[in-house]
């Protein structure tokens, strides 16, 4: 169930963009709040460096969690689907070529698209 929710959540690029934007906003609020409310006063330059450092780290985490990781999962799923389709095609092609019965594939206009060797011998065609 959890994977289905994640899959639906990450299907739309717009949703990913909204999630990333909200996450960046939340991280900015968190960093600014923590520096201005929770930490001791510090020189401006030190505050800017720490603020930039923590925002950079949070930004990379957000990008990884909400953009790169779902993209990698999607790419891996597509690769797996492509490998499965290729394997299924190779198996069907082997069955088609080695069948003892004559077999052919025709389109809607009855043009022969593919025929096995047995059908070619039976019909007298190459």
């Amino acid at each position: 169930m959890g994977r289905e929710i994640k899959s639906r959540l990450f299907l739309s690029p717009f949703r990913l963009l909204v999630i990333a934007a909200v996450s960046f906003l939340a991280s900015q609020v968190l960093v600014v709040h923590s520096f201005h409310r929770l930490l001791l006063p510090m020189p401006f330059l030190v505050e800017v460096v720490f603020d930039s450092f923590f925002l950079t780290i949070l930004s990379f985490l957000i990008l990884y969690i909400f953009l790169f990781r779902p993209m990698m999962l999607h790419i891996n799923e597509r690769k797996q689907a492509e490998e499965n389709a290729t394997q299924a095609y190779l198996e069907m092609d082997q069955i088609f070529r080695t069948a003892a019965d004559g077999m052919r594939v025709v389109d809607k206009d009855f043009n022969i698209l593919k025929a096995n060797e047995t059908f070619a011998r039976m019909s007298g065609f190459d």
Side-chain angles (χ1 to χ4, degrees):
M1 173 97 178
R3 184 157 171 83
E4 290 175 17
I5 292 172
K6 277 186 181 179
S7 296
R8 285 189 308 208
L9 185 65
F10 295 128
L11 279 179
S12 167
F14 180 73
R15 286 182 187 169
L16 287 174
L17 180 65
V18 169
I19 290 169
V22 169
S23 300
F24 282 123
L25 179 64
S27 66
Q28 176 68 32
V29 168
L30 177 70
V31 169
V32 169
H33 175 70
S34 65
F35 277 114
H36 291 289
R37 301 284 185 226
L38 303 176
L39 297 177
L40 297 173
M42 56 182 80
F44 178 73
L45 184 60
V46 174
E47 184 178 337
V48 168
V49 169
F50 277 123
D51 183 46
S52 301
F53 174 75
F54 285 118
L55 279 176
T56 302
I57 291 193
L58 285 173
S59 298
F60 279 123
L61 286 174
I62 291 167
L63 285 173
Y64 176 77
I65 291 169
F66 292 114
L67 296 176
F68 298 134
R69 187 166 182 269
M71 189 174 13
M72 289 185 316
L73 291 173
H74 181 70
I75 289 170
N76 288 337
E77 287 174 2
R78 298 239 356 189
K79 281 182 182 178
Q80 185 64 38
E82 184 178 328
E83 289 172 6
N84 291 344
T86 301
Q87 184 64 30
Y89 172 78
L90 291 174
E91 289 173 5
M92 290 301 295
D93 189 54
Q94 183 178 5
I95 291 169
F96 189 81
R97 285 185 289 115
T98 59
D101 295 327
M103 296 169 50
R104 66 180 172 182
V105 177
V106 295
D107 64 6
K108 65 180 180 175
D109 298 322
F110 301 105
N111 297 317
I112 298 175
L113 301 176
K114 188 173 184 174
N116 66 357
E117 198 64 39
T118 307
F119 182 81
R121 278 194 310 257
M122 290 170 51
S123 61
F125 293 110
D126 291 337

